[in-house]
Amino acid sequence: MAVFRPDDERLERAADVLETLGAEPVPDPMLSVDATDATPRSDADYVVFTSKTGAELVSEAGWKPGDETVCAIGPATADALREEGYAVDLVPDEFTSSGLVTALESRVDGARVEVARSDHGSAVLLEGLDDAGAYVHETILYRLVRPAESGRSAELAAEGGLEAACFTSSLTVEHFLDAAAERGIREDALEGLAGATVGVIGEPTAETAASHGIDVDVVPEEATFDALAHETVAAIPSRSE
């Protein structure tokens, strides 16, 4: 079962979760973090974080918040911010960009909202906040690139040996296919995914997968890796019979 988290404790933890569920993990990191050393601007009324990585990087860069309302896209990001010593004022009920917009849209008309995230963030968040009347500024904390060694899962899929895959962002889908294309096995890898159980986090990732011809079997209601792993493993035909 392929998992595509960055090659740090998140990949190790994801593999542990899958092993606990009785699945054999295929760790294949599709994301590597290239930090910019930037910090959120200091004049914002709201500062929005969308990842654990962002929380850790602003801490390393020495960010010190003032009176801003600090928002986290979900519990993992909120926990990471708290571990770095930051107070978290808002976590939406739905742990997605659209969930953040829903939580903030009645509050931000005329407010300055700083979105601090990677260079591959969803446009849904910026556009939604702008439509709500906010003055939105985005600070790129890090760039997400594909590790040169990635692609083991694509090879396995092309051979028909991949039982399932857990995609955690649109970029992991794109990088998986890039790795396959680099090896000249893109169509074979897509065929292999067609015979596997494919789980994704969130509708944007599902839409990206569908746009590339990948059939999605699982989109958990809760946008967390734990929920994705549990529901994807449960959906594997050999485990649900």
Side-chain angles (χ1 to χ4, degrees), residues 70-153:
V70 176
C71 310
I73 197 169
T77 303
D79 288 346
L81 284 163
R82 294 184 184 109
E83 286 175 9
E84 299 298 336
Y86 300 120
V88 177
D89 304 297
L90 183 147
V91 180
D93 293 331
E94 178 189 334
F95 311 145
T96 63
S97 292
S98 58
L100 268 172
V101 172
T102 299
L104 288 169
E105 60 188 352
S106 65
R107 310 179 182 208
V108 296
D109 188 14
R112 294 182 297 276
V113 181
E114 171 78 339
V115 177
R117 61 181 185 175
S118 81
D119 63 330
H120 282 85
S122 167
V124 169
L125 181 55
L126 303 185
E127 292 171 358
L129 293 173
D130 185 67
D131 289 344
Y135 298 101
V136 185
H137 180 267
E138 181 183 36
T139 292
I140 302 302
L141 301 177
Y142 57 102
R143 298 179 180 87
L144 291 169
V145 298
R146 179 170 64 87
E149 69 276 9
S150 64
R152 176 187 172 205
S153 60

Side-chain angles (χ1 to χ4, degrees), residues 23-218:
E24 181 182 349
V26 180
D28 193 5
M30 287 290 167
L31 301 174
S32 181
V33 174
D34 180 16
T36 65
D37 298 324
T39 55
R41 61 190 301 169
S42 60
D43 61 349
D45 300 302
Y46 294 81
V47 179
V48 176
F49 292 95
T50 62
S51 69
K52 176 179 183 289
T53 299
E56 293 169 347
L57 289 178
V58 293
S59 177
E60 291 173 10
W63 179 60
K64 297 188 183 304
D67 297 327
E68 306 97 323
T69 296
V70 176
C71 310
I73 197 169
T77 303
D79 288 346
L81 284 163
R82 294 184 184 109
E83 286 175 9
E84 299 298 336
Y86 300 120
V88 177
D89 304 297
L90 183 147
V91 180
D93 293 331
E94 178 189 334
F95 311 145
T96 63
S97 292
S98 58
L100 268 172
V101 172
T102 299
L104 288 169
E105 60 188 352
S106 65
R107 310 179 182 208
V108 296
D109 188 14
R112 294 182 297 276
V113 181
E114 171 78 339
V115 177
R117 61 181 185 175
S118 81
D119 63 330
H120 282 85
S122 167
V124 169
L125 181 55
L126 303 185
E127 292 171 358
L129 293 173
D130 185 67
D131 289 344
Y135 298 101
V136 185
H137 180 267
E138 181 183 36
T139 292
I140 302 302
L141 301 177
Y142 57 102
R143 298 179 180 87
L144 291 169
V145 298
R146 179 170 64 87
E149 69 276 9
S150 64
R152 176 187 172 205
S153 60
E155 294 174 356
L156 198 58
E159 296 165 0
L162 192 66
E163 190 176 26
C166 289
F167 292 101
T168 49
S169 68
S170 291
L171 198 55
T172 58
V173 175
E174 293 165 358
H175 283 183
F176 172 90
L177 294 175
D178 288 346
E182 192 175 79
R183 290 162 169 75
I185 56 172
R186 189 179 190 279
E187 294 307 314
D188 289 338
L190 282 170
E191 185 176 341
L193 283 182
T197 299
V198 176
V200 305
I201 284 185
E203 288 303 328
T205 307
E207 291 170 6
T208 299
S211 73
H212 290 289
I214 299 171
D215 292 329
V216 173
D217 302 293
V218 174

Side-chain angles (χ1 to χ4, degrees), residues 1-13:
M1 185 168 178
V3 58
F4 308 112
R5 312 238 63 188
D7 193 9
D8 54 26
E9 74 277 0
R10 283 167 291 183
L11 188 64
E12 295 175 8
R13 184 182 178 281

